[in-house]
Amino acid sequence: MKTRQIQTRYWNDEFITEATWQSRYVYIYLLTNPAINIVGIFQLSDKKIAFETGLDPEDVCIAQEELKKNKKVLFFK
C-alpha cells in the first residue's frame, strides 16, 4: 500500500481557501489516488475520476478547468 502525507496547512493554502469545492475535492483526490507515483505523472480518465469521487462529470470538468487555470495540475488530452 502506498502512503502519502498531506500537511494540515493544506487547508490554509491561498488557492485552497479560494477554490470551489469541486477543485478542492478533485485536487486532494489527485494527490492521494491509487494511480499516483513518486513522479506524480499518471494516466487517469475523467470517467474514472468521476466514478471514484462520486462527482458528476460536469463537476470534474469544473475542477479540471480551475486546477489548470491556477497551474496546480497539468492535464494532457
Side-chain angles (χ1 to χ4, degrees), residues 21-22 25-26 49-60 63:
W21 67 268
Q22 295 99 326
Y25 189 52
V26 170
I49 294 170
F51 175 75
E52 290 191 342
T53 61
L55 295 175
D56 293 329
E58 298 82 28
D59 289 328
V60 173

Side-chain angles (χ1 to χ4, degrees), residues 1 5-6 21 25 28 35 38 42 45 51 63-65 76:
M1 177 189 205
Q5 287 185 336
I6 305 292
W21 67 268
Y25 189 52
I28 203 155
I38 194 74
F42 51 91
S45 70
F51 175 75
Q64 287 176 327
E65 289 304 314
F76 182 72

Side-chain angles (χ1 to χ4, degrees), residues 36-47:
I36 191 89
N37 58 36
I38 194 74
V39 180
I41 299 172
F42 51 91
Q43 185 173 351
L44 201 59
S45 70
D46 295 351
K47 186 177 180 178

Side-chain angles (χ1 to χ4, degrees), residues 21 26 44 57 64 66-67 69 73 77:
W21 67 268
V26 170
L44 201 59
Q64 287 176 327
E66 188 172 358
L67 292 168
K69 181 180 136 202
V73 179
K77 294 185 183 182

